[in-house]
């Protein structure tokens, strides 16, 4: 069975997502984990490009890969925790994580297998960029300004909190 180019690229991106996701959560160095997360997000954008969701792929790259990962790396560098190496996780946490992963995998696989996927005969509709732009800037029922503002305030608050906590730990270590 020969794979088409699209199938090969899908499997390539899916494999990259799985490998870099595992590396993200198992890495002992925080800067490496952030870099692996960047590769996961870029691979996800690659799958969006394969599905012809160029707008969503562009948002994925600019907002998540370009914005959030850079913000995470900036925070790591700002708090001077680049060389911090996490301790190895104990067997109890590994067991609990393995059980949670197994339950999640079973839930996702059974949900996918039970869903009846049907091919659509409807032609793809053209989406106007003007409508997307107006939706992103609208305060109305279908608008997205409020969620974006709430998320930006949440990210700002979490970044300030993380920096304050990191600076307090640094001062406590220097006082001892």
């Amino acid at each position: 069975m020969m794979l088409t180019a699209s199938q090969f690229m899908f499997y390539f991106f899916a494999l990259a997502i799985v490998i870099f996701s595992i590396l993200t959560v198992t890495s002992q160095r925080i800067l490496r984990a952030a870099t692996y997360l960047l590769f996961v997000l870029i691979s996800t954008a690659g799958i969006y490009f394969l599905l012809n969701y160029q707008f969503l792929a562009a948002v994925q790259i600019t907002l998540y890969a370009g914005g959030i990962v850079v913000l995470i790396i900036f925070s790591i560098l700002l708090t001077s925790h680049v060389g911090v190496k996490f301790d190895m996780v104990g067997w109890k946490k590994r067991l609990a994580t393995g059980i949670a992963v197994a339950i999640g995998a079973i839930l996702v696989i059974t949900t996918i297998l039970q869903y009846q996927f049907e091919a659509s005969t409807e032609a793809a509709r053209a989406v106007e960029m003007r409508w997307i732009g107006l939706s992103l800037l609208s305060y109305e029922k279908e608008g997205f300004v409020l969620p974006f503002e709430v998320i930006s305030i949440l990210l700002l608050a979490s970044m300030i909190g993380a920096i304050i906590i990191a600076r307090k730990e640094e001062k406590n270590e220097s006082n001892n």
Side-chain angles (χ1 to χ4, degrees), residues 115-133:
Y115 185 78
Q116 298 297 320
F117 292 98
E118 297 176 13
S120 175
T121 57
E122 187 177 321
R125 289 185 239 156
V127 179
E128 294 182 26
M129 292 305 283
R130 182 175 177 357
W131 178 81
I132 292 173

Side-chain angles (χ1 to χ4, degrees), residues 1 3 17 34 36 42 44 56 77 79 89 92 95 108 113 123 127 134 136 138 141-142 154 164 168-169:
M1 180 175 101
L3 292 175
I17 289 171
Y36 295 143
I42 289 174
T44 305
L56 192 56
L77 295 175
T79 58
V89 177
K92 289 180 183 178
L95 179 64
V108 168
L113 291 177
V127 179
L134 290 174
L136 289 175
S138 174
K141 183 178 178 184
E142 303 277 326
L154 177 68
I164 289 172
K168 280 184 183 178
E169 288 177 6

Side-chain angles (χ1 to χ4, degrees), residues 133-149:
L134 290 174
S135 293
L136 289 175
L137 296 174
S138 174
Y139 290 104
E140 303 298 320
K141 183 178 178 184
E142 303 277 326
F144 294 101
V145 169
L146 185 61
F148 277 126
E149 291 301 322

